[in-house]
Amino acid sequence: MTLETLIAEPWADYGLIDCGHGRKLERYGRYRFIRPEPQAMWAPASDDWDAHGEFVPGSDEDGGGRWEFAKPIPREGWPLGWDDVRFTAHCTPFRHLGFFPDMSPVWSWMRDQVSDLPHPAIMNLFGYTGVGTLAMAARGGEMVHVDASKKSVEAGRRNATLSGLADRPVRWIIDDAAKFTAREVRRGRRYDGILLDPPKYGRGPEGEVWKLEEGLPGLIGDCSKLLDAESRFCFLTVYAVRMSALAIGELMRQAMAGLPGKVEAGELAVREERRGLLLPTAIWARWSR
């Protein structure tokens, strides 16, 4: 299996300005932030980083961390956009800012896979604040958005309103992704595409425990049962684990063995603006017809 890198290029409302020595400097609209980045092992282009805030990680024992702000920012968040989707960015306690910019090439790729379908049925598992959901809904997708966090689903609804997409056919579902997918299999549902972005560890709304290494094979297997020979894609991203893209690629290949098409795998990366170097962020595997 040949590995491919999907690269998030800078756009008007986001850019990786600089990175190095275990940190990265990014712009989110008019605001700039510094966050930890263990994979940035090289030296930065400049030592002079002017930022509005920085996330300072906790110790290995304590975990977590905190934001420290040098300049005022809107604590309730501020609007950003990607293509025809609008959403709110804000500094979360989990060090990110309410969306994942490295997913932008995935959103574009998914749109291409179903561009000839007027109303493709697509499910977004672990959908978070819904930017991927809205990227597809904006192009006519009939979406099922699933996340265990009520707060995240509510943020997705607000982003839909901000994007002028509140009237689009999106089912906003607060549920355990694995349990919901298994029920969809029993219901005999089918989808044209599935996007899943599972965490390493998480809990469902009723205390269900999710561990990636244990739960992913069964979840991918259930996803394959919701696809058929006319379906277009299944895209999986995996973050923050000691796992190879080849491993999840072979898992995807086994699960999709009964479907026509191809399986590919690789890494996600963001291109730095100052030097053009690539900062790796995640691994991925996908099936497409």
Side-chain angles (χ1 to χ4, degrees), residues 190-257:
R190 74 164 293 279
Y191 289 90
D192 293 301
I194 299 175
L195 171 64
L196 58 162
D197 184 18
K200 179 179 180 180
Y201 177 87
R203 288 190 177 274
E206 298 180 4
E208 303 93 336
V209 176
W210 165 265
K211 295 181 180 179
L212 183 77
E213 292 84 352
E214 298 175 4
L216 186 58
L219 178 58
I220 293 294
D222 280 344
C223 286
S224 71
K225 298 171 185 175
L226 300 176
L227 304 168
D228 60 24
E230 298 303 314
S231 299
R232 301 303 177 85
F233 71 84
C234 181
F235 200 108
L236 164 69
T237 57
V238 174
Y239 290 80
V241 296
R242 294 178 179 177
M243 189 180 296
S244 166
L246 289 173
I248 62 171
E250 294 301 342
L251 175 64
M252 182 75 74
R253 188 200 302 275
Q254 184 182 71
M256 304 298 169

Side-chain angles (χ1 to χ4, degrees), residues 263-274:
V263 171
E264 301 164 293
E267 296 194 23
L268 295 182
V270 179
R271 190 182 305 280
E272 186 198 270
E273 292 181 318
R274 287 181 173 171

Side-chain angles (χ1 to χ4, degrees), residues 1-49:
M1 181 180 298
T2 301
L3 300 183
E4 178 183 351
T5 302
L6 297 181
I7 303 169
E9 303 288 354
W11 72 87
D13 277 352
Y14 173 78
L16 172 63
I17 301 171
D18 197 1
C19 59
H21 292 164
R23 301 155 77 221
K24 59 185 174 183
L25 173 66
E26 300 164 290
R27 56 176 178 82
Y28 289 80
R30 59 181 293 189
Y31 303 103
R32 297 177 303 279
F33 300 95
I34 299 169
R35 295 191 291 159
E37 183 47 73
Q39 298 208 78
M41 297 180 287
W42 45 81
S46 170
D47 293 324
D48 183 18
W49 285 7

Side-chain angles (χ1 to χ4, degrees), residues 120-127 132-133 136-137 141-147 169-174 180-181 184 187 189-191 193-195:
I122 299 169
M123 179 164 63
N124 187 3
L125 297 172
F126 310 95
T133 295
M136 303 307 291
E142 297 180 355
M143 303 299 302
V144 175
H145 175 102
V146 185
D147 198 284
V170 179
R171 294 172 59 199
W172 300 98
I173 297 173
I174 303 169
F180 178 82
T181 304
E184 290 288 87
R187 294 170 184 140
R189 290 288 304 273
R190 74 164 293 279
Y191 289 90
I194 299 175
L195 171 64

Side-chain angles (χ1 to χ4, degrees), residues 56-127:
V56 180
S59 68
D60 291 341
E61 293 79 13
D62 297 332
R66 68 189 186 280
W67 285 97
E68 295 183 351
F69 297 98
K71 303 177 184 180
I73 65 165
R75 297 304 174 93
E76 71 282 1
W78 60 97
L80 297 180
W82 175 82
D83 199 69
D84 47 4
V85 177
R86 301 288 289 172
F87 49 90
T88 298
H90 59 97
C91 296
T92 75
F94 310 104
R95 82 177 57 190
H96 50 75
L97 284 96
F99 78 107
F100 299 105
D102 57 341
M103 288 292 291
S104 58
V106 181
W107 304 329
S108 297
W109 181 86
M110 292 192 302
R111 284 179 166 185
D112 289 342
Q113 302 310 299
V114 296
S115 60
D116 61 325
L117 300 178
H119 302 293
I122 299 169
M123 179 164 63
N124 187 3
L125 297 172
F126 310 95

